[in-house]
Amino acid sequence: REVSRSLNSCLAMAPDLLSIYFNKRNAPYVIWTVIALVCALFFWLSRTPDKSNTSSQSSESKTQRGKRRTASICIDELLQQLPAGAADAAAATFLQLCGSFEVFTFSLAQHDKAEEEALQALQRMGAFDAGLKRHRVMFSASPEGRSSMVRQLQPGVHIEASATVAESLAGKVREVRLIGSPEYPSLKEAVCFSVM
């Protein structure tokens, strides 16, 4: 009986409390606040599980399973100006690199015709069939420009034929392999897959 009496007294006070807090002046604020809270509650309850955890886990496993490492290479001296026998060996090594890594190539070109000639040489060699992507063939007008582009790219390894460019990249890129150095006398040694 006492419980029902206290319940009845609370119910009797409810209209008085509502009239204190809910009047013509603040009614729109109260109504829109309630609507916003109901919408927020609806969206919160109807949302899907957090996909960021599953996507980060799947991207980590994808990186471990299928993503190839990045490598960049200067193709000027290495592939274009070599004697016939050395060019064939360098081309075979380069094609193997294209099949195993995400390769970015750099070449010096002063004009569009030089760029087109380099692209045609890569096409004839079969680089695009081996895995090199056309949008990853980059050109610069100077060795300094190439150095800057490699720094921006930040590849896992950069294979370079110019000592000045290799020196400018030292400490700024994870690994620079200079062709013609005692450690990497030719492209074949620079593209040592067990070390990378």
Side-chain angles (χ1 to χ4, degrees):
R1 277 191 151 163
E2 281 189 37
V3 172
S4 66
R5 248 190 246 161
S6 63
L7 184 61
N8 285 339
S9 67
C10 286
L11 289 175
M13 290 172 44
D16 294 333
L17 288 173
L18 278 175
S19 65
I20 293 172
Y21 293 109
F22 190 70
N23 55 39
K24 289 181 182 180
R25 187 171 160 207
N26 64 5
Y29 301 113
V30 173
I31 291 170
W32 286 111
T33 302
V34 169
I35 290 172
L37 289 173
V38 168
C39 289
L41 183 63
F42 171 76
F43 286 118
W44 183 67
L45 293 175
S46 65
R47 70 183 179 141
T48 58
D50 188 16
K51 292 182 180 179
S52 64
N53 288 342
T54 57
S55 66
S56 66
Q57 291 169 353
S58 66
S59 67
E60 288 173 10
S61 63
K62 187 184 286 185
T63 302
Q64 294 168 354
R65 281 184 288 137
K67 186 172 181 193
R68 301 185 308 171
R69 295 183 203 166
T70 59
S72 62
I73 184 170
C74 169
I75 59 173
D76 291 327
E77 296 86 0
L78 299 174
L79 301 176
Q80 296 174 355
Q81 301 168 357
L82 294 173
D88 291 341
T93 304
F94 177 69
L95 294 176
Q96 186 180 11
L97 181 70
C98 289
S100 303
F101 287 81
E102 288 184 7
V103 176
F104 294 82
T105 64
F106 295 94
S107 182
L108 293 175
Q110 298 297 327
H111 46 79
D112 292 342
K113 185 178 179 190
E115 290 181 16
E116 191 57 41
E117 289 170 0
L119 287 169
Q120 288 173 359
L122 289 168
Q123 181 69 42
R124 282 191 303 272
M125 182 190 308
F128 298 118
D129 295 330
L132 179 64
K133 305 289 186 212
R134 205 170 270 279
H135 66 273
R136 293 186 183 145
V137 179
M138 295 176 262
F139 300 95
S140 65
S142 67
E144 293 80 15
R146 177 171 69 221
S147 175
S148 178
M149 290 167 69
V150 173
R151 276 196 313 270
Q152 291 295 316
L153 179 63
Q154 288 294 309
V157 63
H158 177 69
I159 301 168
E160 180 60 53
S162 169
T164 56
V165 173
E167 288 173 14
S168 71
L169 293 173
K172 297 178 177 105
V173 175
R174 189 170 137 205
E175 184 177 0
V176 178
R177 296 183 178 191
L178 177 63
I179 305 298
S181 67
E183 193 174 356
Y184 307 110
S186 71
L187 180 60
K188 187 173 184 174
E189 287 81 19
V191 182
C192 181
F193 299 111
S194 62
V195 176
M196 285 195 226

